[in-house]
Amino acid sequence: MLTERFLCNRRRRELSKEELEVVEGAIAEVRTIPPRSQVVTAGKPIHASTLLVEGLMCRYMDDRAGNRQIVAIHIPGDFVDLHGFPLKHLDHDVATITSCKVACVPHENLETIIGTHPHLSRQLWFSTLMDAAMHREWTFRLGRLDANQRIAHLFCELYCRMNAVGLAKDGSFSLAITQQDVGETCGITSVHVNRALRNLRNDGLVTFRSKKVVIPDRAKLAKLADFEPNYLFFDPDFEALS
Amino acid sequence: MLTERFLCNRRRRELSKEELEVVEGAIAEVRTIPPRSQVVTAGKPIHASTLLVEGLMCRYMDDRAGNRQIVAIHIPGDFVDLHGFPLKHLDHDVATITSCKVACVPHENLETIIGTHPHLSRQLWFSTLMDAAMHREWTFRLGRLDANQRIAHLFCELYCRMNAVGLAKDGSFSLAITQQDVGETCGITSVHVNRALRNLRNDGLVTFRSKKVVIPDRAKLAKLADFEPNYLFFDPDFEALS
DNA sequence: CGACCGTTTGATTTAGCTCAACATCTGTGG
DNA sequence: CCACAGATGTTGAGCTAAATCAAACGGTCG
């Protein structure tokens, strides 16, 4: 089921099976998109939103010199550009990182849902607010943490989110991004990412090698990164999930 | 009228007079809050949202060492914590900067609006998405700009937003915050804010003195700051407003 | 008038950037 | 299966923006 990960993504008890089927039914098309390809361009009108089923996507903005700042990383189960539905166009670009399987939900179908399923539409609103909460945390990350901490914080967040959709366990998950991507996310150069990763590795906090993140001691990493997962609004017992 | 600035705040044509009166009618109480006082605490349940009528407020998160990162600055007309309505509690703290006049809208009243005014409730959703768009831009600011540019970018954004609610014109507006606040917003120390402000002043780009921002040449400042106001989703002709 | 908060300036240190070289990995075609 | 090319990762040396520490200055309000 395409929406399976969307279900367990957040606050799992909040969506009924029937509502999930409504979302599933709103999907018009399932596509596979090659890695590193732009999907949405800032400013251009959009008429469908993208539910990510498999792979990694990101949202980003470039400065005038062409340097990229990634403002969101999306994992399976995320509604990548749901906010484009009320906004009609986006203020940023969207691209795939890896090869991706996506489900396209036309805005006219969302329109119908809004009219007929008040609770579900509330959940869609909620979903966009979760993104905003992550944006805030990213602001905190960039404003207050040093390079080591930023990377640690990013890995902590991704671990929690991956874990919530069944893609991480025992302190380890697969993450097919480059050190350059990490740099563009954390506002540091790829050279310095490399050095920071070495620090973290030498301190036994986290390794990131061959597209795999391993966190031997999550509590220790979270402490270094000043990471408090409350902003992800998971179930209170999310900690219990390993 | 308390909601006057909320109306003209964004995409002014999107709210009808009748809808505005519905919002106005949902206000339960108008309060004046002293400067520098905390209004909402992260994690605590909230039962009303705050429409800022006069003054400046901010949303922030502290790291373990107590250093503050401001993640949003709110001006009159902003719905400060509307996202707290679907979320039920916030992931950050909210405080006043100056003395503030606020209108409190109980969530039960919002609940009623959602049920009875679909277009208006869409506009409320839209309003929270505008906040998210600003969060993204702040991520960009912190990730890609140096100290001078960050401050310039912040002033550009605030000018546009202040202008949209009639609180800025001819390149100048009143801004009752300290250099410390600017630092906590831009992720730099207050000492360095001071030096960066001197740079900007010496270059004739912007002055910030006695709680007043003066921008002699907005285009020049915007260029330095890589500032593109599209993310604010104002009317296409917002540039025309002086 | 003095106390306090915010601003300004100087001296020193440091985290991260830049530039440059080299190593390793991955996918591709011969 | 190997050779190669391009992308990604690693390391070093030197430089720069910003932090830190410290002190003095200037409004403003009891």
Side-chain angles (χ1 to χ4, degrees), chain A residues 122, chain B residues 85 88 106-116:
Chain A
R122 179 79 62 91
Chain B
F85 167 54
K88 309 269 200 306
H107 286 172
E108 54 199 77
N109 295 0
L110 288 173
E111 205 68 63
T112 310
I113 289 178
I114 299 293
T116 55

Side-chain angles (χ1 to χ4, degrees), chain A residues 193-223:
Chain A
V193 168
N194 187 283
R195 294 192 235 261
L197 284 172
R198 182 178 46 190
N199 296 337
L200 294 170
R201 196 186 324 123
N202 290 346
D203 292 349
L205 290 164
V206 60
T207 63
F208 175 45
R209 232 197 279 269
S210 33
K211 311 296 179 202
K212 202 163 174 62
V213 175
V214 180
I215 310 173
D217 184 342
R218 270 164 285 153
K220 215 163 125 195
L221 190 66
K223 184 169 181 201

